[in-house]
Amino acid sequence: MPVRSLNSSVLKWPEARAVAQAVREWAETLGRARPDVLRIGYFGSYARKDWGVGSDLDVLIIVERSDAPFHRRGVEWDATGLPVPADVLVYTQAEWEALMQAGSRFSRALSDETRWVYVRPPD
């Protein structure tokens, strides 16, 4: 999270490199702990390299399947250890494939921007 700079009231936002390293480590830990995870990546301002003070991290998780509704899935993932606030989107493999085939502006942005930091190794 942002930290105070010395004794001043100025907040220093973490550098993109530190955020990228933290999300890689977070993703690796989750991938090892959750066998249903297929891929984890991030997109948005950190992936485009146009982040700034106050930018959040947009995280994308692809799982084999889920019984939870889409809008509730993100709360299952504890992202509080990341150095900036995070929005977590969780898609099942089938939903992800359908989204990529839809050809929407959002799906094209995800396809172009996402930096995958964890991919489950083949069995």
Side-chain angles (χ1 to χ4, degrees), residues 21-36:
Q21 182 62 34
V23 75
R24 270 188 216 93
E25 292 169 5
W26 179 79
E28 284 293 328
T29 299
L30 284 176
R32 284 192 302 270
R34 301 266 314 241
D36 60 328

Side-chain angles (χ1 to χ4, degrees), residues 1-3 13-30 40-43 46 55-61 74 77-89 117:
M1 287 307 207
V3 294
W13 207 253
E15 292 292 325
R17 222 171 325 150
V19 173
Q21 182 62 34
V23 75
R24 270 188 216 93
E25 292 169 5
W26 179 79
E28 284 293 328
T29 299
L30 284 176
I40 300 174
Y42 64 98
F43 65 98
Y46 278 97
S55 291
D56 68 346
L57 181 65
D58 300 300
V59 177
L60 181 60
I61 301 174
W77 306 84
D78 181 11
T80 58
L82 294 171
V84 295
D87 286 329
V88 179
L89 300 179
V117 294

Side-chain angles (χ1 to χ4, degrees), residues 70-107:
F70 179 78
H71 70 279
R72 299 283 306 151
R73 291 182 201 152
V75 300
E76 295 177 24
W77 306 84
D78 181 11
T80 58
L82 294 171
V84 295
D87 286 329
V88 179
L89 300 179
V90 182
Y91 289 92
T92 65
Q93 179 67 29
E95 291 167 341
W96 178 253
E97 290 171 2
L99 180 63
M100 290 297 103
Q101 290 177 0
S104 68
R105 184 173 158 191
F106 181 60
S107 67

